[in-house]
Amino acid sequence: MSPAQNRTLRILVAKPGLDGHDRGAKIVARALRDAGFEVIYTGLHQTPEMIAAAAVQEDVDGVGLSIMSGAHLTLFPAVMDALKERGATDVKVFGGGIIPQDDIPELKRHGIAEVFLPGTTTQAIVDWIRANVQPRAAAA
């Protein structure tokens, strides 16, 4: 087992855009922390560029985006583009919030690995991360 595979997963939880509702993101962040992940919470009103910069700076393995404002089809792909611009294409990005079921295929086309809808348990999110997010290789 490599040293990267041995380390605790680092997950960034972010609130992109002008969405001011952060209770769900805080609940998810706490549940991930309680499950043993290292969690960085960015706070409200983050631009896609700020989220990508934090993801790179914090050397995270995954980014969880939470949105309630309806701007997911704009903001989630913008986060993916900002990560790509920074060479962080190996960061697994997932999201949740008030997202219509019909928008999920479009988000997945943009590289969002999973979308969690209202009513998803925090345990389901934890289980998905454990099954799908791998520690990134250490930067050379």
Side-chain angles (χ1 to χ4, degrees), residues 9-33 37-46 50-55 57-58 60 62-68 94 96:
L9 284 176
R10 292 174 59 88
I11 308 293
L12 181 82
V13 176
K15 290 290 299 180
L18 299 177
D19 182 355
H21 303 279
D22 65 347
R23 184 173 184 194
K26 287 179 176 177
I27 289 169
V28 169
R30 178 170 288 220
L32 298 182
R33 184 204 65 197
F37 302 121
E38 194 171 333
V39 179
I40 299 97
Y41 175 60
T42 63
L44 292 169
H45 311 302
Q46 300 293 299
M50 292 163 71
I51 293 167
Q57 181 177 0
E58 295 289 346
V60 300
V63 173
L65 302 172
S66 171
I67 197 157
M68 308 286 275
F94 56 97

Side-chain angles (χ1 to χ4, degrees), residues 3 16 24 42 50 59 72-74 81 89 95 98 100 105 127-128 136:
T42 63
M50 292 163 71
D59 193 29
H72 51 276
L73 289 176
T74 301
D81 290 344
T89 56
I98 305 299
D127 292 344
W128 182 87
R136 296 173 63 220

